[in-house]
Amino acid sequence: MQKQTLKKLIAMVTFVLAFTILIGVTNGTPVSAKSSTTNVSGSKQQLVDIVLKPKSQKKLDQFVYQSVDPTSTNYRKFVSSGQFASKFGQSTKNIQKLRQYLKKYHLRTEVYRGNLVMAVKGSTRNVQKAFKVKLVMVSKNKIRYQKATKKPTVPKSVSKSVLAIMGLSSYSTVSKSSREFWPSSLYNRAATTLSQGEIAKHYSPSKFVNRYGISQLYNNGSTGRSKTIGIISFANYHPSDAYRYWNGMGIDVKSSRLSNYRTNGYKGSWNGYNETTIDVEQAGAIAPDSNIRTYIGKSDITGMVNSLAAAVGQNVVDVLSLSWGQSEAQVAYEIKQGVTPAKYNQIMNLLFEQAAAQGISVFAASGDNGAYDGISGGNTSLSVDTPANSPYVTAVGGTTLPRTYTVNKQTVKIEKERAWASEFLYPNYKSQKFLGFEDWVETFFAGGGGGFSKYNAVPKYQSGFSGIGTYDATRLWSFKNGKAKLLDTPVNISGKSQGRNVPDLSANADPNTGYSIFITPKKDSSATGEWEISGGTSVVAPQIAAASILMSNNSAGRLGFWNPQIYRFASQSNSPFTVLDSRTNNTNLYYTGQPGKRYNQATGLGTADFSKLDKLFNS
């Protein structure tokens, strides 16, 4: 995606917006259009993934939970990627059979450590023969993508070890969860008139450090030394931007802390390079002595899976941060269209389980469109983001901090930290004209992602926990016949729902109370560059990943799979979480707090005091 600029936080409108006019959708589903297909060149080089079954899914599930259970003999006895392959991955014997079969068709193979993913490379002609498919280029709705005309298969003699075959589609929809903008009024002036010192004072990572108890970790000597933060991304970045940022923020770092891994030799794209820049700058600022390794792959599901398989297989990183994803609604649509494998959710969970077994903590941004994660793709149903929906990932939501605003010429004061959403700013722009659908979505549907997964059941650590499976909500919008309408009178709703609850915890993600970044143009890292104000749950994910690194500095090793541990801590009298359970002025554009409940879908367990969390992790 290109760099997004949130021109203005636009407000109340009482008109009806027809999605069919703007992007051609009805009831949130893309309208069918005539498509044309052409054959893919036989000599074109293809990359296909064969995802392998674990030896025993049940034993893997058990080990993952045992590894973070203090009562278990396997507590924090994390395995290496080689040990994972031996204990849980597909057998070397079966992998060799599969390789021999593919070699007959002159296809090259590489198995990532852990024995869960095999990357297959070769010509279209040979791939079609090996997997008994035909590859075509589809042109539809001004989008061109490759897909297989039928489900790929391999012979029964080798198929027993195969979970799924993916990568035959080139449909790219992995998007980033970030918002950089030049805000109107105060923030526009701040960007143009504030000195670098003033920017550092008001928008530096020290805001996160001071608010969420990181300072005490520094006082205890935790700086991220000898630890590595892994960042999964899909765009290049200028390393010099990160060093200039840390220098500008007064953060002393070593000059050799950054490294890149280009998944499958991918040369990279500059679309969305600001996202990678944000991730590196924020993670490196919170854990100043840590190393940072960025995995850069192609922005599709194959790139996502292979980057994860590479990062976990190398086993160099102690934590992983992901700020890119898709809505479950979009994934469902792609599965229906045959461009995403039906077992995609299962594949992602399997790789995250490998990370957990090796003690790697994984954090993912929950999205920036509130409870309507698929709205940017035209889907108006409630939806959450993937991979934040995985039960083996710590999903990070967003809040906004106290601040005074002028709304419709009246003073509105946000007196305490609350769920991030822009609904209280709606009245400011009654006559605002929109530049298009994207502008409208970024305005009205800015908020921290949260809700219920349709793909993953309630995990063990959430089952029976206060607030899980129940919700309070305030409906601000109605969607009917492809049209959206802002309700004159919001409707309060309470109910029950099934599925993994998202997010797990939250921190400041509102661009209005956000953080500075430094960035230079794509093609000129030597340029003067710009100091900008950034927000989004993708800012929070690398920050919390870095906080995990700081806490692991005080432990014997890695902290491992966070979720079973933090829900256990949250149920104790000395909980390290500040619950955000207010029913009013605390929404992510649908879900609100549930008074008296410890979990709330807009913000999860709430915000963390990492000094307290550190003591619990290391007790």
Side-chain angles (χ1 to χ4, degrees), residues 343-548:
K343 294 182 179 180
Y344 177 61
N345 183 72
Q346 188 176 347
I347 293 166
M348 295 292 281
N349 285 344
L350 187 57
L351 287 171
F352 291 133
E353 280 197 274
Q354 182 183 345
Q358 295 173 199
I360 300 172
S361 307
V362 184
F363 304 87
S366 67
D368 295 342
N369 295 127
Y372 300 93
D373 196 68
I375 193 73
S376 61
N379 192 301
T380 59
S381 62
L382 298 171
S383 183
V384 297
D385 200 70
T386 173
N389 67 337
S390 172
Y392 302 102
V393 164
T394 301
V396 178
T399 65
T400 186
L401 300 182
R403 193 194 147 186
T404 299
Y405 298 83
T406 299
V407 180
N408 198 23
K409 298 182 180 181
Q410 301 293 318
T411 297
V412 173
K413 189 173 184 180
I414 304 300
E415 296 184 347
K416 60 181 181 179
E417 190 165 8
R418 52 150 286 183
W420 169 38
S422 58
E423 89 294 342
F424 62 93
L425 293 170
Y426 284 178
N428 269 355
Y429 303 94
K430 293 180 180 180
S431 59
Q432 175 67 40
K433 293 183 179 179
F434 301 103
L435 301 178
F437 177 71
E438 183 177 339
D439 186 29
W440 179 82
V441 167
E442 289 184 349
T443 298
F444 284 98
F445 289 86
F452 300 87
S453 172
K454 292 181 173 62
Y455 282 97
N456 294 296
V458 174
K460 292 180 182 178
Y461 52 82
Q462 287 189 331
S463 181
F465 192 88
S466 171
I468 294 293
T470 64
Y471 67 87
D472 283 345
T474 299
R475 187 159 62 90
L476 303 173
W477 296 87
S478 66
F479 303 96
K480 187 177 182 181
N481 297 326
K483 298 177 180 180
K485 182 180 180 181
L486 183 63
L487 299 179
D488 294 329
T489 304
V491 178
N492 288 336
I493 304 166
S494 295
K496 296 181 179 180
S497 191
Q498 297 180 340
R500 189 249 203 275
N501 288 225
V502 177
D504 295 302
L505 76 164
S506 298
N508 173 38
D510 186 351
N512 283 294
T513 56
Y515 300 92
S516 60
I517 68 167
F518 178 81
I519 195 164
T520 54
K522 298 177 182 179
K523 298 182 179 180
D524 187 6
S525 62
S526 65
T528 302
E530 298 175 338
W531 287 93
E532 301 181 5
I533 311 302
S534 176
T537 55
S538 63
V539 174
V540 186
Q543 288 176 332
I544 293 183
S548 181

Side-chain angles (χ1 to χ4, degrees), residues 67-125:
S67 71
V68 290
D69 180 358
T71 66
S72 171
T73 56
N74 285 322
Y75 180 54
R76 291 194 177 175
K77 291 184 179 179
F78 305 123
V79 297
S80 67
S81 51
Q83 290 170 329
F84 182 91
S86 178
K87 289 186 175 184
F88 305 111
Q90 186 53 235
S91 71
T92 302
K93 180 180 178 181
N94 288 339
I95 289 175
Q96 191 58 31
K97 286 183 180 179
L98 192 53
R99 285 183 129 165
Q100 289 174 352
Y101 167 75
L102 296 168
K103 190 176 181 179
K104 294 179 183 178
Y105 297 94
H106 309 288
L107 298 176
R108 305 179 304 280
T109 58
E110 176 188 1
V111 179
Y112 292 100
R113 292 181 188 174
N115 287 7
L116 291 181
V117 178
M118 176 187 289
V120 182
K121 296 180 181 179
S123 68
T124 299
R125 186 178 298 108

